[in-house]
Amino acid sequence: MSTRPFASFGTINAMPRAEETHPLTWRLRDDGAMVALDEYRDKHGYEGAKNALDMKGDDISELVKDAGLKGRGGAGFPAGVKWSLTAKGEEMPRGYVVCNADEMEPNTYKDRMLMEQMPHLLIEGMIISALANNAFRGYIFLRGEYHDAAASIERALAEAREAGILGTSVLGSEFDFDIFLHTGAGRYICGEETALINSLEGRRANPRSKPPFPGQSGAWGKPTVVNNVETLCNAPPILYHGKAWYLGLALEGSDDGGTKLFGFTGQIKNPGLWELPLGTTAREIFEDYAQGMKDGYRLKAWQPGGAGTGFLLPEHLSAQMCSNGIADVGTRMGTGLSLAVDHTVNMVSLLRNMEEFFARESCGWCTPCRDGLPWTVKLLRSLERGEGEQGDIEILEELTGKLGPGKTFCAHAPGAVEPLASAIQYFRDEFEQGISHPRRAAHAEPIPVGSI
Amino acid sequence: MTQPTSLIASDRARPEFDMHDEDRHAIEHEMSHYENPRAASIGALKIVQKRHGWVPDGAIYAISDILGIPSSDVEGVATFYSLIFRQPVGRHVILLCDSMTCYIDGYEAVKEALARQLGIQMGQTTEDGRFTLLPVCCLGNCDKGPAMMVDEDIHGPVTPDNVMQLLETYS
């Protein structure tokens, strides 16, 4: 294990925090070290799971649904609804709870903090999810580069087994459940839930055709629920304090309950990570917590939550950070960790960088994604060099439709073209500046398939 | 009397590989975590790579024998994942984050400085076998970009001025 002091995540270990208002971070230590089992239990740890053990699985799902917990991995699907759709019953085999800890969305560093410092909160969340979904085993699918998180999780799993929290008799009950850590070996696509299941099974991480959804037939054909780290970490406080309290944590105007780990990065004064109520305005996060742009930099655009979300303008900072608040301004909250684009950044160059990433990370299974994304790269590279031709922007716009939702097996390509569509919408003049040739005069070289 | 020569190309071509006992046990332990041994394929490749620095051809066959799955499946997995190396790499692997946040924070200048100072491009290894330079998805260190991982250590913010100093500790 690295001896590096826990020095990231901005100043999250120095923020004022309380149990009533900060369910995810109130237990964090000032020194940023992992909260071990004794300390976690002293601070009401595993009390939520004990409550869940006295409930029926469907009632747990119902409670989580009523509390307004939405998935924190980017898609924002209501967690309790997902749990209620898992196939259960006498004739169904008990299945799996898989924690999606493959945090690779560009500009996202929230799950890493939770796993390094609060692994017991995640384990408790997985126990609750297992009770709701009638699962007999859990896997934490952790990206291979998160070595410190792996060390914390392994230590916490050992502590939990030793204390009888995991195993044949969870917390002294009749319920048996254990969790294993599964570490990955790269590739962004593993974060897509069915690709993640294929990877867990030891296969190439191609997404699966849906239906069937994992809740019906997931890992090894058994009912499988895949939840993000932060989503699972919200279950224990809901089970301990109840839905009214949880709903009340969010601000007026938010359809989602609870708090969220928000962040802001880029050329700003105080990049970091903060637990705040859902419904907090992006302006408050940007100005009060991130403290605005560095001297000499102006905010040109911002992205609310990861590479797969659309760009917004400074005027959109008045939007509330919650699923409905960001939908109102035309995109998705995604992971909720925002990126400031400053006035020195050319949007064509930035999109070229982003589409190179998306093209490289395409698994290659379906045609629109495999061939369309390298095409966007080719067009953006020529526009960046000032060697585009008439009609290039129109082709890019056409591709944003043809690679959009419903055209592919998974959300990779739709996520790749959402920022592109919004960049063209708001900054079309920058794309037009790259055009210097009449139609059919420029693109002699082939589309760079396989060489990105 | 001589043994009949195999006509099956894969048998003839099958290179020697001595699976370390400790690694075999570690792979078997991994297998016990899943309801199908195939699930340990990525873990097995990582176990071999930890010892050898990369995954030689013979290891693909050895792993397929242990897991009881075709060697082509093991190779399919080995070549899919970016952190499994099917050719020798340097003693230290540099993973340089090229996500949009690090791009905004100045990643391209760091990449150019590394290329100039080490004399290699992305995907290449220095002549002395010390470093291999690879791109990587967001390392989750975005409040301290540009981010770079060397072996298991994360660094940031990395600049063209401090990057070579950071690398000095890796001999």
Side-chain angles (χ1 to χ4, degrees):
Chain A
M1 187 184 169
S2 164
T3 53
R4 175 181 67 85
F6 291 88
S8 200
F9 318 116
T11 51
I12 195 150
N13 294 95
M15 297 299 289
R17 50 200 187 273
E19 181 175 9
E20 299 73 35
T21 48
H22 295 74
L24 299 173
T25 60
W26 73 275
R27 298 180 179 94
L28 289 184
R29 298 165 54 93
D30 292 345
D31 65 5
M34 167 186 154
V35 176
L37 181 59
D38 288 345
E39 187 173 354
Y40 185 69
R41 293 194 103 163
D42 284 347
K43 293 179 173 172
H44 309 150
Y46 291 104
E47 296 293 331
K50 279 184 196 159
N51 289 348
L53 280 163
D54 294 332
M55 294 169 69
K56 285 194 186 127
D58 290 344
D59 294 340
I60 299 172
S61 302
E62 198 65 22
L63 173 67
V64 168
K65 186 166 69 182
D66 292 347
L69 172 60
K70 297 229 178 104
R72 304 287 199 243
F77 192 79
V81 174
K82 191 185 239 187
W83 291 4
S84 69
L85 293 172
T86 305
K88 309 171 202 81
E90 292 294 307
E91 74 288 357
M92 287 305 294
R94 290 177 66 192
Y96 295 98
V97 170
V98 180
C99 169
N100 187 343
D102 195 61
E103 183 174 68
M104 266 191 241
E105 183 63 30
N107 204 49
T108 306
Y109 46 99
K110 63 186 180 62
D111 297 340
R112 183 162 78 91
M113 187 283 289
L114 289 169
M115 292 186 287
E116 286 182 1
Q117 302 193 27
M118 292 299 305
H120 282 290
L121 185 62
L122 173 60
I123 293 171
E124 185 178 0
M126 288 181 74
I127 292 172
I128 293 165
S129 178
L131 286 161
N133 293 286
N134 195 30
F136 78 102
R137 186 178 283 177
Y139 291 103
I140 298 172
F141 190 111
L142 179 69
R143 67 179 295 190
E145 298 93 330
Y146 276 8
H147 302 285
D148 293 338
S152 285
I153 289 167
E154 287 287 20
R155 181 179 157 199
L157 288 174
E159 286 179 334
R161 285 193 197 108
E162 175 80 12
I165 292 165
L166 291 172
T168 50
S169 168
V170 169
L171 291 159
S173 71
E174 304 273 287
F175 188 69
D176 67 296
F177 179 68
D178 205 350
I179 298 172
F180 293 111
L181 176 66
H182 177 104
T183 61
R187 296 306 296 267
Y188 173 75
I189 197 66
C190 293
E192 199 278 342
E193 70 174 1
T194 57
L196 183 145
I197 290 171
N198 271 337
S199 189
L200 178 70
E201 289 186 2
R203 302 170 194 278
R204 293 164 74 94
N206 296 124
R208 294 177 177 178
S209 177
K210 291 159 282 232
F213 289 90
Q216 272 68 52
S217 176
W220 298 287
K222 295 203 171 80
T224 301
V225 63
V226 182
N227 288 132
N228 165 263
V229 174
E230 188 187 356
T231 313
L232 288 162
C233 286
N234 275 282
I238 292 172
L239 268 288
Y240 186 54
H241 294 287
K243 62 185 174 190
W245 165 83
Y246 190 79
L247 275 170
L249 286 174
L251 301 183
E252 185 84 27
S254 168
D255 287 351
D256 317 340
T259 60
K260 172 91 190 68
L261 291 172
F262 289 117
F264 234 111
T265 61
Q267 299 293 354
I268 56 175
K269 286 193 180 127
N270 184 36
L273 185 67
W274 310 277
E275 181 181 9
L276 298 168
L278 275 151
T280 303
T281 65
R283 188 180 306 285
E284 185 177 344
I285 301 170
F286 176 69
E287 288 178 358
D288 295 354
Y289 291 90
Q291 294 170 20
M293 301 303 288
K294 278 183 192 165
D295 293 338
Y297 289 93
R298 289 192 310 278
L299 182 69
K300 172 175 172 175
W302 62 287
Q303 217 178 359
T309 57
F311 285 99
L312 295 168
L313 298 174
E315 69 210 50
H316 297 128
L317 284 172
S318 55
Q320 285 184 290
M321 289 292 280
C322 51
S323 53
N324 54 304
I326 297 299
D328 286 347
V329 289
T331 184
R332 296 172 300 110
M333 182 172 71
T335 65
L337 282 81
S338 307
L339 170 67
V341 180
D342 60 83
H343 74 284
T344 68
V345 177
N346 177 282
M347 294 306 284
V348 176
S349 301
L350 179 61
L351 267 297
R352 186 264 305 155
N353 166 269
M354 292 173 67
E355 299 306 336
E356 283 175 346
F357 157 76
F358 281 115
R360 181 185 75 206
E361 296 300 331
S362 169
C363 82
W365 190 33
C366 55
T367 309
C369 183
R370 181 188 60 240
D371 290 355
L373 291 175
W375 195 359
T376 67
V377 170
K378 173 180 167 159
L379 293 169
L380 289 163
R381 282 179 180 171
S382 63
L383 289 172
E384 186 184 22
R385 289 195 305 265
E387 295 173 5
E389 68 176 44
Q390 289 294 332
D392 281 0
I393 298 170
E394 288 71 21
I395 297 173
L396 283 174
E397 284 179 318
E398 194 183 333
L399 286 170
T400 63
K402 289 187 169 161
L403 273 62
K407 310 291 202 306
T408 52
F409 284 108
C410 83
H412 183 82
V417 295
E418 183 157 345
L420 178 59
S422 59
I424 297 173
Q425 178 192 345
Y426 293 127
F427 301 97
R428 195 179 182 99
D429 57 323
E430 292 185 26
F431 289 78
E432 284 169 351
Q433 282 164 21
I435 294 173
S436 58
H437 294 282
R439 190 152 175 78
R440 298 186 205 289
H443 308 312
E445 75 266 40
I447 293 170
V449 173
S451 62
I452 290 164
Chain B
M1 196 175 155
T2 54
Q3 294 286 319
T5 312
S6 170
L7 293 176
I8 302 168
S10 61
D11 282 357
R12 280 211 313 266
R14 189 169 173 151
E16 288 290 314
F17 181 77
D18 219 357
M19 179 72 77
H20 200 281
D21 275 349
E22 214 175 282
D23 294 349
R24 182 181 301 275
H25 292 142
I27 292 168
E28 284 163 0
H29 178 70
E30 279 285 309
M31 286 159 65
S32 72
H33 292 174
Y34 309 96
E35 63 175 88
N36 189 309
R38 178 189 293 274
S41 63
I42 297 163
L45 290 161
K46 288 170 78 170
I47 287 164
V48 167
Q49 183 165 292
K50 188 150 190 156
R51 182 173 302 278
H52 300 272
W54 64 296
V55 179
D57 291 350
I60 298 291
Y61 295 100
I63 289 168
S64 89
D65 286 346
I66 296 172
L67 303 182
I69 61 175
S71 54
S72 55
D73 285 9
V74 180
E75 180 73 324
V77 165
T79 52
F80 185 90
Y81 294 96
S82 51
L83 296 180
I84 301 296
F85 308 131
R86 281 290 281 115
Q87 54 179 296
V89 292
R91 292 194 296 283
H92 305 286
V93 174
I94 303 169
L95 300 176
L96 189 62
C97 175
D98 62 1
S99 76
M100 72 235 180
T101 310
C102 288
Y103 175 83
I104 284 175
D105 289 343
Y107 137 85
E108 291 203 327
V110 176
K111 185 173 85 166
E112 281 159 25
L114 277 172
R116 197 171 53 245
Q117 302 276 348
L118 297 176
I120 51 172
Q121 300 297 319
M122 280 287 179
Q124 296 180 337
T125 300
T126 54
E127 256 178 45
D128 60 3
R130 188 174 167 201
F131 292 113
T132 295
L133 179 61
L134 294 172
V136 72
C137 297
C138 180
L139 285 166
N141 207 44
C142 318
D143 57 329
K144 297 194 166 42
M148 175 177 84
M149 181 167 262
V150 185
D151 301 336
E152 298 193 355
D153 310 323
I154 195 150
H155 300 282
V158 181
T159 67
D161 296 330
N162 74 9
V163 68
M164 290 313 290
Q165 204 182 332
L166 283 170
L167 291 181
E168 265 174 29
T169 52
Y170 300 90
S171 50

